[in-house]
Amino acid sequence: MGLSKSFHLVLLIVFGLLFYRIYTIENNQVRIQGDAARQHFAEYVEKYSYWTGNGDDLFKTFSRDYDFQFFQYVHNSDSIHNFTYGSLAKTNQSFADTVFNIDLGYSFTFPDGRMQVKLNPIAAIENSLYKLEQVTQLLILAYVILMLLFTILILVHKRRIKYAAQYIDNISTLSFQAVEISRLRGVLKPLGNALEKCRSKLKESLEIIRVENEKLTKEAYQDPITGFSTRHRFNAYLEKITQSQKNLFGTLVVIKASELSNMNQLYGRIAGDNYLAKLSDCIRNAAPRQAKPEHFRISSSDFAVFLDGVSIKESTNYIEKLKQQFDDYTQSFQQDSVAHIGVVPYQSDNDPITLLAMIDSAVSIAQTLGPNRYHYLEKFDGNETFGDEHWKLTINDIINRRGVNFFQQPILPCNTDNNLYRELLARFHNAEDKHLPTASVIAMSERYGLSIELDKMIITSTLQLMKENPLLTGKLGVNISATSALQAVFVYWLKEILTHHRTEASRLVFEVNESGMQTNLAASFNFVSEIHKVGAKVAVERFGLGFTSFKFFREVRPDYIKLDNSYSNSIESDNNNKFFVRMIVDIAKRLNILVLATGVERQDEKLTLEKLLVDGLQGYYIAKPDSVINTD
């Protein structure tokens, strides 16, 4: 039952009980008055107790002072003196008779007859009936007034509750207007206070969520090192341009941080991050003031810049300024090169895939031209393949000239008396003796099927280096691609040449990437077996990134496994990496395989890895690559 109906019922009961009480009081009062009227009439009749006349005269005498409803006189002997007036039961009963039912009958015996009367009750109940009518009117009026007031209060209450309900509904739309406390007064004040408190708390919580969401969005779509947007936003921006109905145009510039892998290897990850951050500063500083270029980091070593509304010709100043920034950084960096630049025009109707192929070719050609060089590809006429041919020519030239230099980086033994080896790091240069990015040369050689010839050149250069430099003692590690190691023709060639250089072969350790060797376990096992036959050894580098690592080194059985440098990074606080390294060391020792940790850049990492019983440590904290040795 609702509040309104309940209140109506309670009010009705209260007023009903009140009316009943008043009626009871007045009814008792009427009966008292009736008894008094009978008593007074009896005293009056006593005055005529010796009446001997007829009934009619007696009625007339009494009627002067009393009003009768019924009067009857019956003579004892002569009926002629009888008289009757009215009736005992009223034929037309009034409302007053119904409300107050009193008996005013009286009988008396005279000497000659007997009298029976019933006085008219009007006189006895008139006053009480008037009072009851007045009280009833007041009760009805009070009831009506109370109901009107209650109805008004209910309407006001409903409007307040409706306001509260609407406010609660608006919360789902994240509307946080202040609660109008004045509209929620009285008994609804706690509700208003609760809503205000809820609004404040919810707004505060959502603000925290918003800040966290912005932080996550920033982490997801903004590179933390450079502050540039990520690849995801680059793809979205490129799609917006190429699918636009407007006639958009501009220049796309891609900068490849071609020395990133060398920086990580030579100076460590922190130096690599600083290198990328410095490059991003150079890119920002070169931006024209009148333009607002969009900057993106589209891969670990690639940056992209959209110069909207800028033609190739107009972009020249920006490119020259950017190259000057890179040249200045190169001098302070004390390196041959820091980055290479590719430039292509774009329009809104360009195919994104073709555009990306063009820019990739432009960057590839720039890399073959020398340090910090740039290259333009201005037309979409198929000349994007020119970059491929340029790389093929460049790599063939490197192979024919033996255009390679070597750095060496030692591996520190720990928990063992074994002398390990020093890794030789290849660095390539073109015909103008300009430095070329090592990672790009190796990647392009694999893309164009020149990796075997490049690896042969590196191995023959290494053998020549060992013969011509007697001071270069101990074991040396040489990197070769997994593509070459898995080719039977290369393995046969390598075995033949090492057979003729047994002394040098016993000092060589061939480092091969794990992910490449896992593609063919049988060929990997054959490579290791053939290398062991000529006295050389095999190290599997970047170990631990593949899903089949345990199966791999259980079946292939290399001499060394070099853990990927990600396992060394902050290992003192990474329990997962600790567990993995401990497990690898335990299994490797059972198989007589030495475990080497790479990328060691801090003392805490070194101490933790030593406690985990690895056999060797390599990294910037242990020793920097140095002693550039020319083989020309």
Side-chain angles (χ1 to χ4, degrees), residues 411-608:
I411 300 174
L412 175 68
C414 59
N415 302 312
T416 180
D417 295 330
N418 296 332
N419 288 325
L420 297 175
Y421 64 91
R422 285 173 289 174
E423 181 181 358
L424 292 180
L425 307 173
R427 297 293 178 264
F428 304 100
H429 51 85
N430 61 14
E432 291 79 24
D433 201 29
K434 300 295 186 181
H435 169 76
L436 297 176
T438 303
S440 298
V441 171
I442 294 173
M444 291 300 179
S445 68
E446 291 184 354
R447 180 187 293 184
Y448 306 125
L450 298 172
S451 60
I452 290 179
E453 296 303 320
L454 185 66
D455 285 335
K456 286 181 179 181
M457 184 272 291
I458 292 173
I459 292 169
T460 54
S461 298
T462 301
L463 292 173
Q464 181 182 347
L465 179 67
M466 296 170 73
K467 282 188 175 184
E468 295 178 354
N469 292 271
L471 296 180
L472 190 62
T473 60
K475 294 180 180 179
L476 299 175
V478 181
N479 285 275
I480 61 174
S481 70
T483 303
S484 301
L486 299 182
Q487 297 293 323
V489 62
F490 176 79
V491 176
Y492 178 79
W493 173 88
L494 182 59
K495 183 180 178 182
E496 284 294 314
I497 194 171
L498 294 179
T499 301
H500 293 89
H501 299 82
R502 287 281 183 174
T503 303
E504 290 78 12
S506 63
R507 296 170 54 197
L508 287 177
V509 178
F510 293 98
E511 294 191 359
V512 189
N513 188 286
E514 179 209 17
S515 60
M517 296 188 73
Q518 281 189 11
T519 60
N520 191 331
L521 293 183
S524 297
F525 176 77
N526 179 66
F527 171 75
V528 174
S529 299
E530 295 299 319
I531 293 301
H532 284 168
K533 288 178 182 179
V534 294
K537 296 185 180 299
V538 177
V540 178
E541 64 173 353
R542 303 202 69 184
F543 185 85
L545 296 182
F547 292 104
T548 58
S549 294
F550 293 108
K551 179 181 178 182
F552 169 77
F553 79 152
R554 185 182 68 243
E555 295 185 4
V556 176
R557 298 291 183 94
D559 302 284
Y560 308 92
I561 55 173
K562 298 181 71 174
L563 297 173
D564 184 75
N565 57 22
S566 61
Y567 291 104
S568 301
N569 187 17
S570 301
I571 191 172
E572 74 278 1
S573 60
D574 193 329
N575 291 328
N576 291 329
N577 281 356
K578 286 181 185 177
F579 176 77
F580 179 82
V581 172
R582 186 181 296 113
M583 186 166 48
I584 289 292
V585 169
D586 182 60
I587 296 174
K589 288 187 180 299
R590 299 173 188 270
L591 301 173
N592 291 323
I593 299 174
L594 298 181
V595 179
L596 311 178
T598 64
V600 182
E601 299 186 6
R602 295 185 296 106
Q603 184 181 27
D604 290 341
E605 295 172 351
K606 175 181 179 293
L607 296 176
T608 302

Side-chain angles (χ1 to χ4, degrees), residues 19-30 100 128:
F19 176 79
Y20 179 74
R21 177 59 180 166
I22 294 173
Y23 166 73
T24 303
I25 293 173
E26 292 300 329
N27 193 42
N28 290 335
Q29 186 66 30
V30 167
F100 300 110
S128 294

Side-chain angles (χ1 to χ4, degrees), residues 234-524:
F234 170 81
N235 293 337
Y237 195 83
L238 180 62
E239 183 179 357
K240 183 183 75 172
I241 290 174
T242 55
Q243 294 184 1
S244 175
Q245 300 299 320
K246 300 179 181 178
N247 186 23
L248 301 179
F249 73 95
T251 300
L252 173 60
V253 182
V254 169
I255 300 99
K256 179 174 284 294
S258 49
E259 296 303 309
L260 179 61
S261 60
N262 293 340
M263 284 294 300
N264 289 334
Q265 195 170 38
L266 294 174
Y267 303 105
R269 295 183 304 274
I270 296 176
D273 290 345
N274 291 336
Y275 159 68
L276 292 175
K278 183 61 178 177
L279 280 184
S280 66
D281 289 339
C282 293
I283 294 171
R284 287 191 185 92
N285 293 336
R289 294 182 179 180
Q290 67 276 14
K292 293 182 179 180
E294 297 287 340
H295 299 97
F296 303 89
R297 185 183 178 188
I298 57 178
S299 70
S300 60
S301 60
D302 291 342
F303 303 95
V305 181
F306 283 96
L307 301 176
D308 295 331
V310 177
S311 66
I312 283 286
K313 184 177 180 180
E314 293 171 336
S315 70
T316 304
N317 291 335
Y318 169 74
I319 301 302
E320 290 291 344
K321 187 176 179 180
L322 182 60
K323 184 181 184 304
Q324 185 60 49
Q325 290 276 337
F326 290 161
D327 290 341
D328 294 342
Y329 180 34
T330 300
Q331 292 180 3
S332 62
F333 187 46
Q334 296 182 349
Q335 294 292 326
D336 296 328
S337 177
V338 293
H340 294 87
I341 309 166
V343 189
V344 297
Y346 68 81
Q347 293 179 347
S348 54
D349 58 349
N350 291 149
D351 175 43
I353 297 177
T354 303
L355 185 62
L356 292 177
M358 286 280 293
I359 196 64
D360 182 62
S361 297
V363 174
S364 297
I365 294 171
Q367 287 180 289
T368 66
L369 300 178
N372 303 335
R373 296 294 297 274
Y374 58 84
H375 185 76
Y376 288 89
L377 282 180
E378 300 187 31
K379 296 181 179 180
F380 293 89
D381 55 2
N383 61 357
E384 59 269 19
T385 59
F386 176 66
D388 297 350
E389 296 298 329
H390 212 283
W391 264 115
K392 290 179 184 179
L393 294 173
T394 301
I395 294 173
N396 280 318
D397 178 66
I398 292 173
I399 294 171
N400 294 332
R401 289 185 303 101
R402 291 193 179 183
V404 61
N405 297 330
F406 290 104
F407 282 69
Q408 59 178 346
Q409 184 179 29
I411 300 174
L412 175 68
C414 59
N415 302 312
T416 180
D417 295 330
N418 296 332
N419 288 325
L420 297 175
Y421 64 91
R422 285 173 289 174
E423 181 181 358
L424 292 180
L425 307 173
R427 297 293 178 264
F428 304 100
H429 51 85
N430 61 14
E432 291 79 24
D433 201 29
K434 300 295 186 181
H435 169 76
L436 297 176
T438 303
S440 298
V441 171
I442 294 173
M444 291 300 179
S445 68
E446 291 184 354
R447 180 187 293 184
Y448 306 125
L450 298 172
S451 60
I452 290 179
E453 296 303 320
L454 185 66
D455 285 335
K456 286 181 179 181
M457 184 272 291
I458 292 173
I459 292 169
T460 54
S461 298
T462 301
L463 292 173
Q464 181 182 347
L465 179 67
M466 296 170 73
K467 282 188 175 184
E468 295 178 354
N469 292 271
L471 296 180
L472 190 62
T473 60
K475 294 180 180 179
L476 299 175
V478 181
N479 285 275
I480 61 174
S481 70
T483 303
S484 301
L486 299 182
Q487 297 293 323
V489 62
F490 176 79
V491 176
Y492 178 79
W493 173 88
L494 182 59
K495 183 180 178 182
E496 284 294 314
I497 194 171
L498 294 179
T499 301
H500 293 89
H501 299 82
R502 287 281 183 174
T503 303
E504 290 78 12
S506 63
R507 296 170 54 197
L508 287 177
V509 178
F510 293 98
E511 294 191 359
V512 189
N513 188 286
E514 179 209 17
S515 60
M517 296 188 73
Q518 281 189 11
T519 60
N520 191 331
L521 293 183
S524 297

